[in-house]
Amino acid sequence: MAAALVVDLEAEHSMDVILVGSSELSSPPSPRSRRDLVAYEVQVNQRDIEDMCICCGSFQVHTQHPLFEGGMCAPCKDKFLECLFLYDDDGYQSYCSICCAGETLLICENPDCTRCYCFECVDTLVGPGTSGRVHAMSNWVCFLCLPFPRSGLLQRRRKWRGWLKAFYDREAKSPLEMYKTVPVWKREPVRVLSLFGDIKKELTSLGFLESGSGPGRLRHLDDVTDVVRRDVEEWGPFDLTYGSTPPLGHTCDHPPGWYLFQFHRVLQYARPRRGSQQPFFWMFVDNLVLTEEDRAVATRFLETDPVTIQHVRGRTTQNAVHVWSSIPAVRSRHSALVSQEELALLAQDRQRAKPPAQGPAALVKNCFLPLREYFKYFSTELTSSLQMSHYTVKTATKKDFS
């Protein structure tokens, strides 16, 4: 009979660990749902877990799960790609790290981890009742943070970060390569080049910049007319390059397309040398001032399609921006689609509004959260409250990706 033990880890924050023996797992009852088939087929029928989708129980395996041993069907693969790097306002990932779904999520309380796991995955793959025991704990560390790789049927892959990168590059069909995520002990503070729009306030509030950070961590430039490659190389290297058009209603010294072309020019100077493994990300935000022709040029030059990110209050769109970016999951953050006619009317209303509308950085703030997988982040009001709250469960925020 498998033993379920609670162990205290001696650390700055005492963590509870659920340890489920893997060598003598008890035989599960006959499956009542397709999801229950996973444990039944593996333990009773001796099926290889790589031949089943561990997300839903399907036998129609398309690929292998990148984080844990087991298969993955095509629909679950698509959902995983769409949701993996989505974060909520609480700073934790929005969905289960196994199935990228789930109604109620158990959160990892390792201060350096933001992953969540749904009750169903934990009970199905680790053992019945495990979610309840985890829920009763004050602190719990997850299956990617534990010092041992196996919990019940849930086996962490060796070198899972490499698996995740290979999975994304193979399955995402994106022209933008994904960088391998960085272990906590190797993460360095992010170095930012901010063009035209200043994102210091947003990055500081998320913990990527320390309060009072000097110019060495973030360099903000309003005018790059005279900037040449040598300047950027002397200021750098940079890990994130951000640029935006001015907010509607603000006085512009240049036509809107100028900001796009200058961003693209400076971006080439800031990129790491070809073949470098240094994680490097960029984002360009249009505050609804680029023409349709300008947006088509941006898509061609930046080699990715834009998404529209909105601020919706009730049924009314209050604000919206177009975003091109290499940051993981930005493409998943869009709200329900808005027609270009609606956006044109919104732009006209905002242009007449006094005072001028808030800058685009506030709308895209949470798009930077996936960078926690790559760079060090410091204690902030958000992260401090999370570490002190000791809550283990949250309800998944459902998003419409249709």
Side-chain angles (χ1 to χ4, degrees), residues 188-194 199 203 208-209 214-219 235-242 270 272 276 278-281 371 375-376 378:
E188 297 290 339
V190 66
R191 299 161 295 188
V192 184
L193 179 59
S194 183
I199 54 171
L203 292 182
F208 289 113
L209 300 174
R217 292 295 177 212
L218 184 145
R219 180 174 288 271
W235 298 330
F238 294 104
D239 308 302
L240 171 65
T241 299
Y242 172 87
S276 171
Q278 170 199 338
F280 176 81
F281 302 95
L371 299 184
F375 304 107
K376 179 178 179 180
F378 305 92

PDB file of all heavy atoms in Angstrom, residues 188-194 199 203 208-209 214-219 235-242 270 272 276 278-281 371 375-376 378:
ATOM      1  N   GLU A 188      19.269  36.272 -13.610  1.00  0.00           N
ATOM      2  CA  GLU A 188      19.870  37.578 -13.350  1.00  0.00           C
ATOM      3  C   GLU A 188      18.805  38.655 -13.535  1.00  0.00           C
ATOM      4  O   GLU A 188      17.796  38.441 -14.223  1.00  0.00           O
ATOM      5  CB  GLU A 188      21.029  37.830 -14.317  1.00  0.00           C
ATOM      6  CG  GLU A 188      22.186  36.847 -14.181  1.00  0.00           C
ATOM      7  CD  GLU A 188      22.965  37.032 -12.899  1.00  0.00           C
ATOM      8  OE1 GLU A 188      22.882  38.141 -12.306  1.00  0.00           O
ATOM      9  OE2 GLU A 188      23.649  36.083 -12.470  1.00  0.00           O
ATOM     10  N   PRO A 189      19.000  39.843 -12.945  1.00  0.00           N
ATOM     11  CA  PRO A 189      18.046  40.945 -13.173  1.00  0.00           C
ATOM     12  C   PRO A 189      17.958  41.298 -14.657  1.00  0.00           C
ATOM     13  O   PRO A 189      18.946  41.235 -15.390  1.00  0.00           O
ATOM     14  CB  PRO A 189      18.636  42.098 -12.355  1.00  0.00           C
ATOM     15  CG  PRO A 189      19.473  41.443 -11.303  1.00  0.00           C
ATOM     16  CD  PRO A 189      20.040  40.216 -11.964  1.00  0.00           C
ATOM     17  N   VAL A 190      16.765  41.649 -15.098  1.00  0.00           N
ATOM     18  CA  VAL A 190      16.548  41.973 -16.507  1.00  0.00           C
ATOM     19  C   VAL A 190      17.131  43.349 -16.834  1.00  0.00           C
ATOM     20  O   VAL A 190      17.088  44.275 -16.026  1.00  0.00           O
ATOM     21  CB  VAL A 190      15.035  41.930 -16.839  1.00  0.00           C
ATOM     22  CG1 VAL A 190      14.270  43.033 -16.118  1.00  0.00           C
ATOM     23  CG2 VAL A 190      14.797  41.988 -18.345  1.00  0.00           C
ATOM     24  N   ARG A 191      17.708  43.463 -18.026  1.00  0.00           N
ATOM     25  CA  ARG A 191      18.271  44.728 -18.521  1.00  0.00           C
ATOM     26  C   ARG A 191      17.385  45.199 -19.669  1.00  0.00           C
ATOM     27  O   ARG A 191      17.210  44.483 -20.650  1.00  0.00           O
ATOM     28  CB  ARG A 191      19.712  44.510 -18.974  1.00  0.00           C
ATOM     29  CG  ARG A 191      20.627  44.042 -17.840  1.00  0.00           C
ATOM     30  CD  ARG A 191      21.892  43.391 -18.350  1.00  0.00           C
ATOM     31  NE  ARG A 191      21.610  42.150 -19.065  1.00  0.00           N
ATOM     32  CZ  ARG A 191      22.557  41.296 -19.483  1.00  0.00           C
ATOM     33  NH1 ARG A 191      23.823  41.550 -19.236  1.00  0.00           N
ATOM     34  NH2 ARG A 191      22.225  40.208 -20.147  1.00  0.00           N
ATOM     35  N   VAL A 192      16.864  46.402 -19.545  1.00  0.00           N
ATOM     36  CA  VAL A 192      15.767  46.848 -20.404  1.00  0.00           C
ATOM     37  C   VAL A 192      16.163  48.096 -21.191  1.00  0.00           C
ATOM     38  O   VAL A 192      16.731  49.046 -20.641  1.00  0.00           O
ATOM     39  CB  VAL A 192      14.508  47.168 -19.571  1.00  0.00           C
ATOM     40  CG1 VAL A 192      13.345  47.544 -20.475  1.00  0.00           C
ATOM     41  CG2 VAL A 192      14.148  45.986 -18.674  1.00  0.00           C
ATOM     42  N   LEU A 193      15.828  48.081 -22.489  1.00  0.00           N
ATOM     43  CA  LEU A 193      15.915  49.263 -23.330  1.00  0.00           C
ATOM     44  C   LEU A 193      14.495  49.667 -23.686  1.00  0.00           C
ATOM     45  O   LEU A 193      13.772  48.925 -24.351  1.00  0.00           O
ATOM     46  CB  LEU A 193      16.716  48.960 -24.608  1.00  0.00           C
ATOM     47  CG  LEU A 193      16.879  50.112 -25.603  1.00  0.00           C
ATOM     48  CD1 LEU A 193      17.582  51.303 -24.964  1.00  0.00           C
ATOM     49  CD2 LEU A 193      17.632  49.645 -26.844  1.00  0.00           C
ATOM     50  N   SER A 194      14.072  50.830 -23.212  1.00  0.00           N
ATOM     51  CA  SER A 194      12.687  51.288 -23.375  1.00  0.00           C
ATOM     52  C   SER A 194      12.669  52.500 -24.293  1.00  0.00           C
ATOM     53  O   SER A 194      13.213  53.551 -23.956  1.00  0.00           O
ATOM     54  CB  SER A 194      12.099  51.636 -22.003  1.00  0.00           C
ATOM     55  OG  SER A 194      10.751  52.013 -22.104  1.00  0.00           O
ATOM     56  N   ILE A 199       8.499  52.114 -19.353  1.00  0.00           N
ATOM     57  CA  ILE A 199       7.809  51.032 -18.642  1.00  0.00           C
ATOM     58  C   ILE A 199       8.445  50.762 -17.279  1.00  0.00           C
ATOM     59  O   ILE A 199       8.218  49.705 -16.684  1.00  0.00           O
ATOM     60  CB  ILE A 199       7.784  49.740 -19.482  1.00  0.00           C
ATOM     61  CG1 ILE A 199       9.204  49.353 -19.905  1.00  0.00           C
ATOM     62  CG2 ILE A 199       6.861  49.881 -20.670  1.00  0.00           C
ATOM     63  CD1 ILE A 199       9.284  47.979 -20.557  1.00  0.00           C
ATOM     64  N   LEU A 203       7.366  47.615 -14.699  1.00  0.00           N
ATOM     65  CA  LEU A 203       8.312  46.548 -14.374  1.00  0.00           C
ATOM     66  C   LEU A 203       8.688  46.560 -12.896  1.00  0.00           C
ATOM     67  O   LEU A 203       8.913  45.504 -12.294  1.00  0.00           O
ATOM     68  CB  LEU A 203       9.569  46.688 -15.238  1.00  0.00           C
ATOM     69  CG  LEU A 203       9.381  46.423 -16.732  1.00  0.00           C
ATOM     70  CD1 LEU A 203      10.705  46.552 -17.466  1.00  0.00           C
ATOM     71  CD2 LEU A 203       8.772  45.051 -16.988  1.00  0.00           C
ATOM     72  N   PHE A 208      10.450  43.209 -11.369  1.00  0.00           N
ATOM     73  CA  PHE A 208      11.603  43.015 -12.245  1.00  0.00           C
ATOM     74  C   PHE A 208      12.685  44.068 -12.034  1.00  0.00           C
ATOM     75  O   PHE A 208      13.850  43.841 -12.379  1.00  0.00           O
ATOM     76  CB  PHE A 208      11.162  43.017 -13.715  1.00  0.00           C
ATOM     77  CG  PHE A 208      10.383  41.796 -14.103  1.00  0.00           C
ATOM     78  CD1 PHE A 208       9.050  41.872 -14.432  1.00  0.00           C
ATOM     79  CD2 PHE A 208      10.990  40.551 -14.122  1.00  0.00           C
ATOM     80  CE1 PHE A 208       8.325  40.745 -14.783  1.00  0.00           C
ATOM     81  CE2 PHE A 208      10.282  39.411 -14.473  1.00  0.00           C
ATOM     82  CZ  PHE A 208       8.938  39.513 -14.802  1.00  0.00           C
ATOM     83  N   LEU A 209      12.308  45.226 -11.522  1.00  0.00           N
ATOM     84  CA  LEU A 209      13.269  46.281 -11.203  1.00  0.00           C
ATOM     85  C   LEU A 209      13.125  46.626  -9.736  1.00  0.00           C
ATOM     86  O   LEU A 209      12.015  46.707  -9.217  1.00  0.00           O
ATOM     87  CB  LEU A 209      13.016  47.534 -12.053  1.00  0.00           C
ATOM     88  CG  LEU A 209      13.114  47.382 -13.570  1.00  0.00           C
ATOM     89  CD1 LEU A 209      12.688  48.682 -14.247  1.00  0.00           C
ATOM     90  CD2 LEU A 209      14.528  47.014 -13.991  1.00  0.00           C
ATOM     91  N   GLY A 214      19.030  52.223 -10.726  1.00  0.00           N
ATOM     92  CA  GLY A 214      19.748  53.200 -11.523  1.00  0.00           C
ATOM     93  C   GLY A 214      19.546  52.958 -12.998  1.00  0.00           C
ATOM     94  O   GLY A 214      18.918  51.992 -13.419  1.00  0.00           O
ATOM     95  N   PRO A 215      20.109  53.825 -13.831  1.00  0.00           N
ATOM     96  CA  PRO A 215      19.916  53.704 -15.276  1.00  0.00           C
ATOM     97  C   PRO A 215      20.566  52.467 -15.875  1.00  0.00           C
ATOM     98  O   PRO A 215      20.300  52.126 -17.006  1.00  0.00           O
ATOM     99  CB  PRO A 215      20.565  54.989 -15.812  1.00  0.00           C
ATOM    100  CG  PRO A 215      21.532  55.402 -14.743  1.00  0.00           C
ATOM    101  CD  PRO A 215      20.914  54.989 -13.451  1.00  0.00           C
ATOM    102  N   GLY A 216      21.420  51.780 -15.092  1.00  0.00           N
ATOM    103  CA  GLY A 216      22.070  50.596 -15.636  1.00  0.00           C
ATOM    104  C   GLY A 216      21.100  49.458 -15.906  1.00  0.00           C
ATOM    105  O   GLY A 216      21.372  48.595 -16.727  1.00  0.00           O
ATOM    106  N   ARG A 217      19.953  49.402 -15.198  1.00  0.00           N
ATOM    107  CA  ARG A 217      18.987  48.326 -15.396  1.00  0.00           C
ATOM    108  C   ARG A 217      17.961  48.675 -16.466  1.00  0.00           C
ATOM    109  O   ARG A 217      17.456  47.814 -17.153  1.00  0.00           O
ATOM    110  CB  ARG A 217      18.266  48.032 -14.074  1.00  0.00           C
ATOM    111  CG  ARG A 217      19.158  47.434 -13.011  1.00  0.00           C
ATOM    112  CD  ARG A 217      19.642  46.064 -13.419  1.00  0.00           C
ATOM    113  NE  ARG A 217      20.549  45.509 -12.431  1.00  0.00           N
ATOM    114  CZ  ARG A 217      21.553  44.694 -12.712  1.00  0.00           C
ATOM    115  NH1 ARG A 217      21.788  44.361 -13.960  1.00  0.00           N
ATOM    116  NH2 ARG A 217      22.315  44.212 -11.763  1.00  0.00           N
ATOM    117  N   LEU A 218      17.574  49.928 -16.561  1.00  0.00           N
ATOM    118  CA  LEU A 218      16.617  50.345 -17.582  1.00  0.00           C
ATOM    119  C   LEU A 218      17.091  51.658 -18.192  1.00  0.00           C
ATOM    120  O   LEU A 218      17.334  52.636 -17.481  1.00  0.00           O
ATOM    121  CB  LEU A 218      15.218  50.521 -16.984  1.00  0.00           C
ATOM    122  CG  LEU A 218      14.111  50.870 -17.998  1.00  0.00           C
ATOM    123  CD1 LEU A 218      12.787  50.225 -17.608  1.00  0.00           C
ATOM    124  CD2 LEU A 218      13.914  52.389 -18.106  1.00  0.00           C
ATOM    125  N   ARG A 219      17.231  51.648 -19.504  1.00  0.00           N
ATOM    126  CA  ARG A 219      17.585  52.874 -20.217  1.00  0.00           C
ATOM    127  C   ARG A 219      16.391  53.289 -21.065  1.00  0.00           C
ATOM    128  O   ARG A 219      15.934  52.532 -21.914  1.00  0.00           O
ATOM    129  CB  ARG A 219      18.816  52.669 -21.096  1.00  0.00           C
ATOM    130  CG  ARG A 219      19.221  53.937 -21.879  1.00  0.00           C
ATOM    131  CD  ARG A 219      20.521  53.742 -22.612  1.00  0.00           C
ATOM    132  NE  ARG A 219      21.643  53.713 -21.703  1.00  0.00           N
ATOM    133  CZ  ARG A 219      22.340  54.779 -21.309  1.00  0.00           C
ATOM    134  NH1 ARG A 219      21.992  55.981 -21.752  1.00  0.00           N
ATOM    135  NH2 ARG A 219      23.365  54.658 -20.500  1.00  0.00           N
ATOM    136  N   TRP A 235      25.798  50.564 -24.274  1.00  0.00           N
ATOM    137  CA  TRP A 235      24.814  50.598 -23.186  1.00  0.00           C
ATOM    138  C   TRP A 235      24.436  49.195 -22.724  1.00  0.00           C
ATOM    139  O   TRP A 235      24.093  48.998 -21.570  1.00  0.00           O
ATOM    140  CB  TRP A 235      23.544  51.324 -23.634  1.00  0.00           C
ATOM    141  CG  TRP A 235      23.752  52.755 -24.010  1.00  0.00           C
ATOM    142  CD1 TRP A 235      24.693  53.607 -23.515  1.00  0.00           C
ATOM    143  CD2 TRP A 235      23.001  53.496 -24.972  1.00  0.00           C
ATOM    144  NE1 TRP A 235      24.571  54.845 -24.106  1.00  0.00           N
ATOM    145  CE2 TRP A 235      23.527  54.808 -25.006  1.00  0.00           C
ATOM    146  CE3 TRP A 235      21.930  53.204 -25.802  1.00  0.00           C
ATOM    147  CZ2 TRP A 235      23.031  55.804 -25.828  1.00  0.00           C
ATOM    148  CZ3 TRP A 235      21.418  54.191 -26.630  1.00  0.00           C
ATOM    149  CH2 TRP A 235      21.960  55.474 -26.640  1.00  0.00           C
ATOM    150  N   GLY A 236      24.475  48.243 -23.650  1.00  0.00           N
ATOM    151  CA  GLY A 236      23.980  46.901 -23.377  1.00  0.00           C
ATOM    152  C   GLY A 236      24.990  46.035 -22.672  1.00  0.00           C
ATOM    153  O   GLY A 236      25.962  46.535 -22.086  1.00  0.00           O
ATOM    154  N   PRO A 237      24.741  44.699 -22.716  1.00  0.00           N
ATOM    155  CA  PRO A 237      23.670  44.043 -23.474  1.00  0.00           C
ATOM    156  C   PRO A 237      22.313  44.197 -22.794  1.00  0.00           C
ATOM    157  O   PRO A 237      22.228  44.460 -21.603  1.00  0.00           O
ATOM    158  CB  PRO A 237      24.099  42.579 -23.497  1.00  0.00           C
ATOM    159  CG  PRO A 237      24.895  42.408 -22.224  1.00  0.00           C
ATOM    160  CD  PRO A 237      25.604  43.718 -22.022  1.00  0.00           C
ATOM    161  N   PHE A 238      21.255  44.020 -23.591  1.00  0.00           N
ATOM    162  CA  PHE A 238      19.884  44.123 -23.102  1.00  0.00           C
ATOM    163  C   PHE A 238      19.180  42.774 -23.232  1.00  0.00           C
ATOM    164  O   PHE A 238      19.494  41.974 -24.114  1.00  0.00           O
ATOM    165  CB  PHE A 238      19.114  45.190 -23.886  1.00  0.00           C
ATOM    166  CG  PHE A 238      19.643  46.581 -23.663  1.00  0.00           C
ATOM    167  CD1 PHE A 238      20.419  47.208 -24.634  1.00  0.00           C
ATOM    168  CD2 PHE A 238      19.369  47.259 -22.489  1.00  0.00           C
ATOM    169  CE1 PHE A 238      20.919  48.489 -24.430  1.00  0.00           C
ATOM    170  CE2 PHE A 238      19.856  48.538 -22.268  1.00  0.00           C
ATOM    171  CZ  PHE A 238      20.630  49.159 -23.237  1.00  0.00           C
ATOM    172  N   ASP A 239      18.214  42.571 -22.334  1.00  0.00           N
ATOM    173  CA  ASP A 239      17.397  41.350 -22.359  1.00  0.00           C
ATOM    174  C   ASP A 239      15.993  41.608 -22.888  1.00  0.00           C
ATOM    175  O   ASP A 239      15.320  40.683 -23.330  1.00  0.00           O
ATOM    176  CB  ASP A 239      17.267  40.776 -20.940  1.00  0.00           C
ATOM    177  CG  ASP A 239      18.602  40.591 -20.257  1.00  0.00           C
ATOM    178  OD1 ASP A 239      19.443  39.864 -20.818  1.00  0.00           O
ATOM    179  OD2 ASP A 239      18.820  41.191 -19.181  1.00  0.00           O
ATOM    180  N   LEU A 240      15.542  42.861 -22.806  1.00  0.00           N
ATOM    181  CA  LEU A 240      14.187  43.226 -23.229  1.00  0.00           C
ATOM    182  C   LEU A 240      14.242  44.583 -23.902  1.00  0.00           C
ATOM    183  O   LEU A 240      14.783  45.544 -23.341  1.00  0.00           O
ATOM    184  CB  LEU A 240      13.243  43.289 -22.024  1.00  0.00           C
ATOM    185  CG  LEU A 240      11.842  43.869 -22.258  1.00  0.00           C
ATOM    186  CD1 LEU A 240      11.030  42.987 -23.214  1.00  0.00           C
ATOM    187  CD2 LEU A 240      11.087  44.035 -20.934  1.00  0.00           C
ATOM    188  N   THR A 241      13.695  44.664 -25.111  1.00  0.00           N
ATOM    189  CA  THR A 241      13.574  45.944 -25.814  1.00  0.00           C
ATOM    190  C   THR A 241      12.099  46.228 -26.029  1.00  0.00           C
ATOM    191  O   THR A 241      11.374  45.398 -26.586  1.00  0.00           O
ATOM    192  CB  THR A 241      14.309  45.912 -27.171  1.00  0.00           C
ATOM    193  OG1 THR A 241      15.705  45.670 -26.933  1.00  0.00           O
ATOM    194  CG2 THR A 241      14.160  47.242 -27.897  1.00  0.00           C
ATOM    195  N   TYR A 242      11.667  47.383 -25.555  1.00  0.00           N
ATOM    196  CA  TYR A 242      10.252  47.774 -25.616  1.00  0.00           C
ATOM    197  C   TYR A 242      10.142  49.087 -26.386  1.00  0.00           C
ATOM    198  O   TYR A 242      10.987  49.976 -26.279  1.00  0.00           O
ATOM    199  CB  TYR A 242       9.711  47.967 -24.201  1.00  0.00           C
ATOM    200  CG  TYR A 242       8.318  48.565 -24.132  1.00  0.00           C
ATOM    201  CD1 TYR A 242       7.193  47.749 -24.197  1.00  0.00           C
ATOM    202  CD2 TYR A 242       8.129  49.938 -24.013  1.00  0.00           C
ATOM    203  CE1 TYR A 242       5.915  48.293 -24.147  1.00  0.00           C
ATOM    204  CE2 TYR A 242       6.853  50.488 -23.960  1.00  0.00           C
ATOM    205  CZ  TYR A 242       5.756  49.665 -24.023  1.00  0.00           C
ATOM    206  OH  TYR A 242       4.495  50.215 -23.977  1.00  0.00           O
ATOM    207  N   ALA A 270      20.101  45.835 -30.695  1.00  0.00           N
ATOM    208  CA  ALA A 270      20.003  45.298 -29.336  1.00  0.00           C
ATOM    209  C   ALA A 270      19.996  43.773 -29.298  1.00  0.00           C
ATOM    210  O   ALA A 270      20.270  43.182 -28.255  1.00  0.00           O
ATOM    211  CB  ALA A 270      18.733  45.829 -28.663  1.00  0.00           C
ATOM    212  N   PRO A 272      20.977  39.932 -29.364  1.00  0.00           N
ATOM    213  CA  PRO A 272      22.254  39.228 -29.145  1.00  0.00           C
ATOM    214  C   PRO A 272      22.783  38.671 -30.459  1.00  0.00           C
ATOM    215  O   PRO A 272      22.038  38.526 -31.439  1.00  0.00           O
ATOM    216  CB  PRO A 272      21.884  38.114 -28.165  1.00  0.00           C
ATOM    217  CG  PRO A 272      20.406  37.924 -28.324  1.00  0.00           C
ATOM    218  CD  PRO A 272      19.847  39.266 -28.705  1.00  0.00           C
ATOM    219  N   SER A 276      23.603  33.006 -30.021  1.00  0.00           N
ATOM    220  CA  SER A 276      23.637  33.215 -28.577  1.00  0.00           C
ATOM    221  C   SER A 276      22.447  32.531 -27.911  1.00  0.00           C
ATOM    222  O   SER A 276      21.339  32.530 -28.440  1.00  0.00           O
ATOM    223  CB  SER A 276      23.605  34.722 -28.269  1.00  0.00           C
ATOM    224  OG  SER A 276      23.424  34.941 -26.877  1.00  0.00           O
ATOM    225  N   GLN A 278      21.440  33.508 -24.943  1.00  0.00           N
ATOM    226  CA  GLN A 278      20.907  34.498 -24.007  1.00  0.00           C
ATOM    227  C   GLN A 278      19.442  34.772 -24.313  1.00  0.00           C
ATOM    228  O   GLN A 278      19.090  35.155 -25.429  1.00  0.00           O
ATOM    229  CB  GLN A 278      21.688  35.817 -24.139  1.00  0.00           C
ATOM    230  CG  GLN A 278      21.065  36.984 -23.391  1.00  0.00           C
ATOM    231  CD  GLN A 278      21.575  38.337 -23.896  1.00  0.00           C
ATOM    232  OE1 GLN A 278      22.646  38.410 -24.492  1.00  0.00           O
ATOM    233  NE2 GLN A 278      20.799  39.399 -23.675  1.00  0.00           N
ATOM    234  N   PRO A 279      18.533  34.572 -23.340  1.00  0.00           N
ATOM    235  CA  PRO A 279      17.123  34.909 -23.574  1.00  0.00           C
ATOM    236  C   PRO A 279      16.977  36.398 -23.891  1.00  0.00           C
ATOM    237  O   PRO A 279      17.498  37.253 -23.169  1.00  0.00           O
ATOM    238  CB  PRO A 279      16.448  34.552 -22.246  1.00  0.00           C
ATOM    239  CG  PRO A 279      17.345  33.544 -21.621  1.00  0.00           C
ATOM    240  CD  PRO A 279      18.732  33.961 -22.011  1.00  0.00           C
ATOM    241  N   PHE A 280      16.286  36.685 -24.968  1.00  0.00           N
ATOM    242  CA  PHE A 280      16.095  38.075 -25.391  1.00  0.00           C
ATOM    243  C   PHE A 280      14.668  38.227 -25.902  1.00  0.00           C
ATOM    244  O   PHE A 280      14.198  37.423 -26.705  1.00  0.00           O
ATOM    245  CB  PHE A 280      17.086  38.443 -26.498  1.00  0.00           C
ATOM    246  CG  PHE A 280      16.882  39.829 -27.046  1.00  0.00           C
ATOM    247  CD1 PHE A 280      17.377  40.935 -26.381  1.00  0.00           C
ATOM    248  CD2 PHE A 280      16.164  40.035 -28.229  1.00  0.00           C
ATOM    249  CE1 PHE A 280      17.171  42.218 -26.880  1.00  0.00           C
ATOM    250  CE2 PHE A 280      15.952  41.303 -28.724  1.00  0.00           C
ATOM    251  CZ  PHE A 280      16.457  42.402 -28.049  1.00  0.00           C
ATOM    252  N   PHE A 281      13.987  39.279 -25.442  1.00  0.00           N
ATOM    253  CA  PHE A 281      12.583  39.479 -25.786  1.00  0.00           C
ATOM    254  C   PHE A 281      12.357  40.920 -26.222  1.00  0.00           C
ATOM    255  O   PHE A 281      13.126  41.821 -25.879  1.00  0.00           O
ATOM    256  CB  PHE A 281      11.685  39.159 -24.576  1.00  0.00           C
ATOM    257  CG  PHE A 281      11.863  37.771 -24.060  1.00  0.00           C
ATOM    258  CD1 PHE A 281      12.737  37.512 -23.002  1.00  0.00           C
ATOM    259  CD2 PHE A 281      11.189  36.708 -24.634  1.00  0.00           C
ATOM    260  CE1 PHE A 281      12.919  36.225 -22.530  1.00  0.00           C
ATOM    261  CE2 PHE A 281      11.371  35.415 -24.164  1.00  0.00           C
ATOM    262  CZ  PHE A 281      12.234  35.174 -23.113  1.00  0.00           C
ATOM    263  N   LEU A 371       8.127  36.549 -18.066  1.00  0.00           N
ATOM    264  CA  LEU A 371       9.572  36.754 -17.949  1.00  0.00           C
ATOM    265  C   LEU A 371      10.093  36.275 -16.598  1.00  0.00           C
ATOM    266  O   LEU A 371      11.308  36.170 -16.406  1.00  0.00           O
ATOM    267  CB  LEU A 371       9.915  38.237 -18.160  1.00  0.00           C
ATOM    268  CG  LEU A 371       9.542  38.810 -19.529  1.00  0.00           C
ATOM    269  CD1 LEU A 371      10.014  40.252 -19.645  1.00  0.00           C
ATOM    270  CD2 LEU A 371      10.127  37.976 -20.663  1.00  0.00           C
ATOM    271  N   PHE A 375      14.123  35.659 -15.641  1.00  0.00           N
ATOM    272  CA  PHE A 375      14.892  36.697 -14.967  1.00  0.00           C
ATOM    273  C   PHE A 375      14.543  36.784 -13.486  1.00  0.00           C
ATOM    274  O   PHE A 375      13.431  36.429 -13.066  1.00  0.00           O
ATOM    275  CB  PHE A 375      14.650  38.058 -15.637  1.00  0.00           C
ATOM    276  CG  PHE A 375      14.951  38.056 -17.106  1.00  0.00           C
ATOM    277  CD1 PHE A 375      13.926  38.098 -18.039  1.00  0.00           C
ATOM    278  CD2 PHE A 375      16.252  37.964 -17.558  1.00  0.00           C
ATOM    279  CE1 PHE A 375      14.187  38.078 -19.400  1.00  0.00           C
ATOM    280  CE2 PHE A 375      16.533  37.941 -18.911  1.00  0.00           C
ATOM    281  CZ  PHE A 375      15.505  37.993 -19.833  1.00  0.00           C
ATOM    282  N   LYS A 376      15.477  37.282 -12.719  1.00  0.00           N
ATOM    283  CA  LYS A 376      15.273  37.467 -11.287  1.00  0.00           C
ATOM    284  C   LYS A 376      14.210  38.536 -11.063  1.00  0.00           C
ATOM    285  O   LYS A 376      14.124  39.509 -11.799  1.00  0.00           O
ATOM    286  CB  LYS A 376      16.593  37.911 -10.645  1.00  0.00           C
ATOM    287  CG  LYS A 376      16.516  38.152  -9.150  1.00  0.00           C
ATOM    288  CD  LYS A 376      17.889  38.549  -8.602  1.00  0.00           C
ATOM    289  CE  LYS A 376      17.808  38.806  -7.099  1.00  0.00           C
ATOM    290  NZ  LYS A 376      19.142  39.184  -6.547  1.00  0.00           N
ATOM    291  N   PHE A 378      12.347  40.877  -7.783  1.00  0.00           N
ATOM    292  CA  PHE A 378      12.567  41.334  -6.423  1.00  0.00           C
ATOM    293  C   PHE A 378      11.246  41.426  -5.673  1.00  0.00           C
ATOM    294  O   PHE A 378      10.170  41.411  -6.266  1.00  0.00           O
ATOM    295  CB  PHE A 378      13.267  42.696  -6.429  1.00  0.00           C
ATOM    296  CG  PHE A 378      14.550  42.696  -7.207  1.00  0.00           C
ATOM    297  CD1 PHE A 378      14.575  43.045  -8.556  1.00  0.00           C
ATOM    298  CD2 PHE A 378      15.740  42.324  -6.600  1.00  0.00           C
ATOM    299  CE1 PHE A 378      15.750  43.031  -9.283  1.00  0.00           C
ATOM    300  CE2 PHE A 378      16.926  42.303  -7.319  1.00  0.00           C
ATOM    301  CZ  PHE A 378      16.932  42.654  -8.659  1.00  0.00           C
TER     302      PHE A 378
END
